[in-house]
Amino acid sequence: MKMSSSGQAGQAIELVLELSADAQITRRKTPEDSPAFHNLTGAIAAYGKTLAILKALQQREEFYSIIAQCEVPERIVAPS
């Protein structure tokens, strides 16, 4: 069964959260002055930006889903 885009966005959000958590755990075990620490810091920041985009997409999809459920008077609907 194919999931809705909102469901897919939710799954993507969960995956990014897991990846971010793993990176944060690894970073705590890494020496602060090492290149690996700085690479992980960059990855964690990128995960945060990705989450922001996915959350906005999820909210947009939910908004359009709600609008689609509303009855729109025919005089408002543009002619085909």
Side-chain angles (χ1 to χ4, degrees), residues 45-80:
Y47 290 140
K49 291 177 182 180
T50 302
L51 285 171
I53 291 168
L54 288 171
K55 186 63 180 166
L57 175 63
Q58 185 181 43
Q59 289 174 344
R60 180 179 172 189
E61 297 270 336
E62 290 171 358
F63 172 76
Y64 285 133
S65 175
I66 291 168
I67 295 300
Q69 294 173 4
C70 296
E71 291 184 346
V72 180
E74 287 189 28
R75 61 186 171 91
I76 296 177
V77 177
S80 303

Side-chain angles (χ1 to χ4, degrees), residues 20-58:
S20 179
D22 291 343
Q24 291 179 33
I25 291 167
T26 303
R27 190 178 80 156
R28 286 188 201 120
K29 298 176 184 176
T30 305
E32 287 187 27
D33 294 333
S34 69
F37 182 87
H38 296 291
N39 289 340
L40 289 166
T41 301
I44 292 166
Y47 290 140
K49 291 177 182 180
T50 302
L51 285 171
I53 291 168
L54 288 171
K55 186 63 180 166
L57 175 63
Q58 185 181 43

